[in-house]
Amino acid sequence: MNQHNTTSHPKPESARELSAQYNPQAVEQDIFAQWIKATNGFHASAKSPAKNSFSVVIPPPNVTGALHLGHAINGTIQDILVRYHRMCGDATLWMPGLDHAGIATQAVVERTIFEKEKLNRHDLGRDELVRRIWEWKEKFGDRILEQLKRMGSSCDWPRTRFTLDDVCARAVREAFFKLFHDGLIFRGLRLVNWDTHLQTAVADDEIYYETIKGQMTSIRYPIADRRDGDPEFLVVATTRPETMLGDTAVAVHPEDPRYKHLIGREVEIPLAGRNIPIIGDGLLVDPAFGTGVVKVTPAHDPNDYATGQRHNLRQINLLTADGKVNDAGAGTFGGRRYDYTGLKFATEARRAILEDLEKLGLIAEAKPHEHEVGHSDRSKTPIEPYLSEQWFVKMSDVDGGITLANGHNVSGLAQAAIDAVENGGVKITPDRYSRGYVEWLSKKRDWCISRQLWWGHRIPVWTLCVSWNDLTIERIKSDESQLSGRLRESAGAIRTYLNQHGISDADFNIQDSVAKMQLVLCTRTPAADARLAELKTVLERSETSVPRIESVMQDPDVLDTWFSSALWPLSTMGWPASGTSDAPEDQILSRFYPTSVLSTAREILTLWVARMVMFGLYCHGDIPFRQVYIHAVIQDGQGRPMKKSLGNGVDPVDIIESHGADALRYTLASMATETQDIRLPVVKDKVSGKNTSPRFDAGRNFANKLWNASRFILSHLDISTAPSDSDIQSLVASPSADIADRWILSRLNSTITRATGCINQFRFAEVAAAFYQFVWNDLCDWYLEIAKPRINRKDTVVQQVLLYVLRATLALLHPVMPYVTEAIWGKLPDGSGTVKMLVVSPFPTAHAALDNPQAEKDIDLAQQITRAIRDLRNSHNVDLKRKLDVVIQTESADTAANILACRAIIEPLSNAGILTCDPKAIPPADSASALVPGVQIFVAGIVDKQAEAKKISVRQQELTRLIAAGKAKLANENFVSKAPHAVVEGLRQQLASQEAELQAVEISLIQYSAAT
RNA sequence: GGGUGGUUAGCUCAGUUGGUUAGAGCGCCGUGUUUACACCGCGGAUGUCGGGGGUUCGAGCCCCUCACCACCCACCA
C-alpha cells in the first residue's frame, strides 16, 4: 500500500525538491480549493464574451445512496468534455444537482425506520415521514456532492440544484398546468402495477421478474345455456385461479373449429355463480396453447384489460389496496355460498378457491408450472395488476395536434420526441440506440404520472365535491343538463372567489365532471393552493353560497420522479422565466439552452432522455440537448452489474484514497469504449476491507510516470521563459535543427490532433491510449533518453523543446488528469503556473509547421535498429558496459544516410559504435546479426554460429514464404487490375525489399553454415 | 418471442470506410539497480481472430448459418 499517506500537507516544494513519487493525497484537496477560488466555483456566466457556449446538465444522482463506479465513469466523461471546452475558451456550464428519486428514496427511508424503530409510515404520518426523508437527503446528498468534488468535477457548484427545490417546483407546476390546460393530462382508471406492501403504483422499470414454481390449473366452467351436442364444460387453464371471481368473459380463437360455434353463448363461473359470455378474440388467444380457452379478468391482468377494452367488458376489481380480497370476492354456486373476502389474494384466497374447486370436482388438471412473476424492486413483494384511478399524460396523437412552445404543430407529444431524433436535431451516440428510442416512443403509451407516495411533488389538482339541496341524485339522472349548468355556475362562483383573493385566472383552471358531481381544479401557484385550502370553511360560513361544498381536497398523490427529471435542463436554468427581463437566470437559459451534450446510461434513454426531449419542445420550443452520449456499463469481473446486494460495488472515493483521483479518471476513461460492457475485476483489499480493483494501478502508474518525467525536466531547466509557438516553429525550421527535436514536436502535434478528434467523437479510450503512447513511449522511453546527453551539457535548445513540450503535454492531459497536471503546472520555472492556473489556460492547438513525417519515419528506423542491437547484446549475454562494434548493411544508400543521421541516437542508446553503414558494407568475420526490414546489422565478436544459422534460416524461410505469396498475388491479373494502385505499388516495393533481404540473408547463411 | 451488442494472446480489451507479416495494458520469461521514475529500465515469448459456409483479386472487418455470453423490449392463459 501507499507508504506516503500523510494527513498533513508537506511544506511547499520547489521544482527541484519534488518527491520521487506522485502523492495525490498531498495535493488534491488543496488544488480543488484553489480551482474553486480561481473560478468562483466553476461558475458559468451568461455574460461571458466567449463566442461559443458549451453546456452539460448532470444526470442528477438519486439521493438513495452513495455514488458507485457507474456514476464515476459518467462524471469523468462529462468533466473531460467540460474541462476541454473551458480550456478552448468556450463559455462553459456544467449544471450539477440531485434527484429526489421518489419511490426509491421513500422506500429506503421507510425500511430503515422500520428496521430501527419498528414504525411504518402510517405511524409517523405524512409530515413526519417527509421530514425524515429530508434528513436522509441532506446526509446522502452531501455525501454525493462530496464524492463528485473529490473526483475533481468542475461543476458550476453555486448553482447546485435538487429536483424538489423551489426552482424546480416552479417548473413542475408550470409544466403540469400547461399540460392540464391543453387537455394533455387526464385522470383514468387503469391497470397499474400495484405494490401491496408499500400500497403504491410502481413503474414498469421498477419491477423485476422472478421465476416461481407455480401450478397451472385447468378448471371446468359449466356451459350455462347448454344445447344438444355441446360439451358440458369449457376447460380453462390458469396460474391465477383466485382471479376467477373477477372473470367477465372467456375467450376462444374466432377461427378455432372446436369452439367457434360457441361464441356468443355463456358459461357460468364456478363459485361466483355468475354467467359470462364466450367471446372470440384472435389477439388474446393462441389456439395451440393449453386448451385454447382463456379466462378474461380485465381488472387483474394487462392482456385481459386490453381484451376488455376491445370487447367492452365489465371490470370487476377483487382487490383491496393492501392485497386482500374485497367484498366482490363472493358468490353463490350450486346453491352454496362462497365468500373469500378478507383473505390474502394470491395466497390464502388461491388456496381456498382451489380447495373448493377440488371438492366440486371442477379441476380437470393440475400440473407444476414455472413462470415469471413480477416483483416490486422496492419492497421485494409480488406485484398485483390493480385497477386504480391515476393521472396520465397523453402521449398519443390528438385531434388537431398540439402546439409546441415554438408555435409548431405536431400530432402528439411522443411524435414530437420521435421527430427530434429522426430529423437529426438530437443525435444519439452510439447511433444504434436511436432505434430503441424511436421504437419505444412509437408505442405512444400514455404516461402514468401519479404515485401513491408522500415524497415528491404533490399533484396540484384539487377536487371539489358539490351538492345542492334541491338537486337530488334522482333529479340529476333525469336531467343531466341541469347539473351541468349548476356545475358551471359553481365554477363561476369559485373563480370569482379566487379572483377576489388575488388569484388571477392565469393561475388556475377549472374543469367539471358531471358524472361525479365534481369540480376539478388545477392550480399553478402555492398561493392558489393556500386559497383553496381555506375555501371550504369560507364557503360554509357564507350565506350566499349557492352550491354547497361537500369537500375540498388536494390530490394526495405525488408526481412520478421522471416528471421533474424530464424538466431538469429547463428547471435548472430558470424556466419558466420570471417575467423580469433582466433576471440573471433567464439569461442562463438563453445562453446555455439547448445544452451541448447529455452523457447518460442506456437504461434511462427512454424513461428520462425521451421525456426531456418531449418536455423541452413542448414547454420551451426547443430540444434540450444536441447530442446524447450513452456511456459504457461497468460490471464486475464476472460480468455482473455492480449492485449493493451483490456486494461488488466500488466506492470512487476508496479508489481516490488508494490511487488518486487522476488514476480513477484515467483508468475509467481508458475503459470507455463503445463495446458498452466493461468488466472490472473487483477484489477486497485485505488491509482496509474495501472493494478495489487492480486495474486502477494503470492510472496510478501513469500519473506517476508523468510526475517523474516532469520532475526530471524541471530539475534540468536553466531557462525561465517558455518559447512561444512561433519560436518553436522557427527552431524546427532551422537547417541545423536536431532530428529528435523535430520528431518529438511532430509526435506532440499528431497527439494533439488525434486527442482533439477523439474527444469530439466521444472516443475516450483512444484519447487515453494516445496520451499513454505519447508520454510513456515517445517522451519518456525515447526522447528523454535521446536528449540526456544534450541535457547534461546544458544545451539551451533542448531545454526550450523540453519546456515547450512539457507545457503542451500538461495542458493536453489536463481534462483527463486535472490534479497531477495542475500540480506540475504550478512548478513551471517561468512562473506562469502560479500566475494562471492550468484549469483556465488554453488547450494546445496543433500547428501544421510541426508535422514531420520524415522525422517520424527516420526515428522509427533508428528505434528498430537500437532495439535490434540491444536484443543481440541481451541474447548473447554481453555486459552492458562493453561497447559493441556494429556494421550495418542497407539495401539503399538513402537508408544508410538516414541511419547515419540518427547515429547520435542509436549509438548511446545501444552503447555501440557504428563502424560502417553502407549498402556494400562487409560483415565482420565473427559477427552476430540481426534483421530489420531493409537493414542487416552485424555485431562483431559475439557470434554463436549455430544460433545465427538457425535464426537466419528461420528468417530465410519466412521471407521465402512471403515472397512466394507476394509473387502469386502480383501474378494474379485480377489483383493487379482491381486493387488500388497504391496497394499494388506498395506490394511491389515490399517484394523488392524482401528479395534484397533474402539475397543478403542467404549470403550470411552460407557464411555461418560454412564456418561450422 | 422481438431487438442490440459481444466471442481476437493466460486476463481485460483495441483494431477508424476490406489492403502489405493482427495490436495495447496487465500477467509471464530473461535481465538490469546508470542520480526522473522498481508505481522503473531493457529485451523476449505468446493468437487456426467462436464453428461452418459464402461474396471478393484480397475478410478479424461484408453476407448467410450455427453455438455460447450479456443487455434492452415484450411476455404467454
Side-chain angles (χ1 to χ4, degrees), chain A residues 482-617:
Chain A
Q482 207 189 118
L483 174 64
S484 176
R486 290 280 186 93
L487 279 171
R488 227 163 288 140
E489 248 173 63
S490 315
I494 286 161
R495 183 173 157 195
T496 305
Y497 173 81
L498 288 172
N499 288 165
Q500 282 168 353
H501 290 81
I503 309 298
S504 82
D505 284 352
D507 288 343
F508 63 92
N509 183 294
I510 306 179
Q511 295 177 0
D512 52 43
S513 164
V514 173
K516 292 184 178 169
M517 291 177 64
Q518 284 176 349
L519 293 173
V520 176
L521 208 147
C522 180
T523 54
R524 201 169 77 135
T525 61
D529 291 338
R531 287 302 171 198
L532 282 172
E534 69 187 27
L535 184 62
K536 185 181 173 188
T537 46
V538 170
L539 287 185
E540 274 175 345
R541 280 202 306 271
S542 164
E543 289 166 12
T544 60
S545 161
V546 178
R548 180 164 187 83
I549 304 294
E550 293 288 340
S551 66
V552 180
M553 210 183 76
Q554 181 171 10
D555 197 295
D557 292 356
V558 299
L559 287 167
D560 179 12
T561 300
W562 296 112
F563 193 97
S564 54
S565 310
L567 291 162
W568 185 244
L570 285 172
S571 61
T572 54
M573 293 201 198
W575 180 89
S578 63
T580 325
S581 61
D582 60 352
E585 296 303 307
D586 297 350
Q587 295 169 16
I588 289 294
L589 188 65
S590 60
R591 174 96 211 208
F592 291 110
Y593 188 100
T595 63
S596 313
V597 177
L598 178 83
S599 175
T600 191
R602 64 166 169 256
E603 73 261 21
I604 51 176
L605 182 62
T606 51
L607 298 172
W608 188 44
V609 177
R611 284 160 179 170
M612 280 192 282
V613 175
M614 192 174 87
F615 274 3
L617 288 163

Side-chain angles (χ1 to χ4, degrees), chain A residues 940-960:
Chain A
I942 57 169
V943 72
D944 172 346
K945 290 190 177 178
Q946 271 189 337
E948 281 299 322
K950 193 177 168 193
K951 185 170 70 186
I952 293 172
S953 110
V954 166
R955 179 62 181 165
Q956 182 203 22
Q957 283 165 26
E958 195 184 3
L959 281 168
T960 310

Side-chain angles (χ1 to χ4, degrees), chain A residues 575-884:
Chain A
W575 180 89
S578 63
T580 325
S581 61
D582 60 352
E585 296 303 307
D586 297 350
Q587 295 169 16
I588 289 294
L589 188 65
S590 60
R591 174 96 211 208
F592 291 110
Y593 188 100
T595 63
S596 313
V597 177
L598 178 83
S599 175
T600 191
R602 64 166 169 256
E603 73 261 21
I604 51 176
L605 182 62
T606 51
L607 298 172
W608 188 44
V609 177
R611 284 160 179 170
M612 280 192 282
V613 175
M614 192 174 87
F615 274 3
L617 288 163
Y618 173 70
C619 295
H620 192 57
D622 204 349
I623 51 168
F625 26 73
R626 297 191 177 87
Q627 298 211 66
V628 176
Y629 175 67
I630 304 293
H631 66 73
V633 173
I634 298 189
Q635 307 169 330
D636 71 2
Q638 287 128 60
R640 302 176 304 178
M642 289 194 173
K643 272 190 177 163
K644 228 178 248 163
S645 55
L646 290 173
N648 58 359
V650 176
D651 186 337
V653 171
D654 289 343
I655 302 301
I656 289 168
E657 282 170 0
S658 61
H659 291 73
D662 291 330
L664 173 77
R665 295 167 60 112
Y666 176 84
T667 306
L668 291 174
S670 73
M671 298 190 303
T673 66
E674 283 202 3
T675 307
Q676 300 302 309
D677 289 336
I678 298 168
R679 285 194 184 196
L680 187 86
V682 174
V683 295
K684 190 166 281 242
D685 186 277
K686 288 196 181 82
V687 180
S688 64
K690 287 171 176 169
N691 278 349
T692 181
S693 175
R695 296 296 216 81
F696 292 106
D697 295 353
R700 182 197 55 194
N701 296 353
F702 184 53
N704 190 52
K705 189 74 179 176
L706 177 67
W707 174 263
N708 271 292
S710 306
R711 189 163 69 99
F712 174 69
I713 292 170
L714 292 175
S715 66
H716 286 87
L717 290 182
D718 301 315
I719 58 170
S720 58
T721 321
S724 66
D725 287 341
S726 62
D727 288 344
I728 278 296
Q729 285 171 36
S730 51
L731 191 147
V732 294
S734 152
S736 62
D738 191 281
I739 187 171
D741 294 350
R742 286 177 170 158
W743 172 75
I744 194 66
L745 289 164
S746 181
R747 291 293 309 133
L748 170 68
N749 217 38
S750 33
T751 305
I752 293 169
T753 306
R754 184 175 164 202
T756 306
C758 289
I759 289 174
N760 288 322
Q761 291 171 74
F762 308 116
R763 303 170 68 99
F764 300 102
E766 202 178 328
V767 172
F771 289 170
Y772 188 95
Q773 226 169 20
F774 177 71
V775 172
W776 206 303
N777 303 135
D778 296 336
L779 184 62
C780 294
D781 290 349
W782 289 99
Y783 185 75
L784 291 183
E785 294 305 323
I786 292 167
K788 269 178 186 171
R790 289 161 73 207
I791 291 170
N792 287 333
R793 61 172 186 264
K794 309 224 177 255
D795 180 308
T796 54
V797 172
V798 83
Q799 291 192 20
Q800 285 181 25
V801 174
L802 284 171
L803 183 52
Y804 182 86
V805 170
L806 178 62
R807 283 184 65 113
T809 303
L810 294 174
L812 183 62
L813 268 60
H814 184 260
V816 176
M817 313 183 83
Y819 286 111
V820 67
T821 50
E822 188 76 76
I824 300 164
W825 184 261
K827 311 290 183 192
L828 290 177
D830 56 1
S832 61
T834 54
V835 174
K836 193 176 186 186
M837 297 194 79
L838 183 52
V839 68
V840 288
S841 296
F843 195 78
T845 45
H847 304 283
L850 297 182
D851 278 330
N852 197 328
Q854 186 61 43
E856 298 211 21
K857 212 175 142 194
D858 290 348
I859 297 289
D860 181 65
L861 184 59
Q863 289 174 343
Q864 289 191 56
I865 292 170
T866 305
R867 273 202 196 98
I869 299 170
R870 285 168 170 174
D871 183 23
L872 285 175
R873 178 192 297 279
N874 204 306
S875 55
H876 289 82
N877 293 315
V878 181
D879 192 285
L880 267 172
K881 294 189 177 80
R882 178 177 151 198
K883 192 171 173 182
L884 299 174

Side-chain angles (χ1 to χ4, degrees), chain A residues 417-432:
Chain A
I418 292 171
D419 293 346
V421 165
E422 288 194 333
N423 67 25
V426 175
K427 187 174 176 298
I428 298 175
T429 305
D431 181 52
R432 60 177 181 275

Side-chain angles (χ1 to χ4, degrees), chain A residues 119-130:
Chain A
L119 296 172
N120 66 30
R121 68 167 141 154
H122 301 291
D123 299 328
L124 292 173
R126 187 164 189 150
D127 290 345
E128 175 62 11
L129 181 72
V130 169

Side-chain angles (χ1 to χ4, degrees), chain A residues 257-324:
Chain A
R258 294 172 294 179
Y259 307 117
K260 70 179 185 186
H261 63 283
L262 294 171
I263 293 170
R265 308 267 296 283
E266 289 190 332
V267 293
E268 184 183 10
I269 310 172
L271 310 176
R274 196 156 40 75
N275 287 0
I276 52 173
I278 300 166
I279 59 170
D281 192 289
L283 285 176
L284 180 70
V285 183
D286 172 4
F289 189 95
T291 57
V293 186
V294 184
K295 64 194 269 310
V296 184
T297 324
H300 291 282
D301 181 278
N303 284 319
D304 294 3
Y305 177 85
T307 308
Q309 297 284 304
R310 287 195 292 274
H311 295 270
N312 211 9
L313 299 176
R314 262 179 78 198
Q315 301 163 336
I316 300 175
N317 174 39
L318 297 171
L319 199 63
T320 61
D322 60 353
K324 292 178 178 147

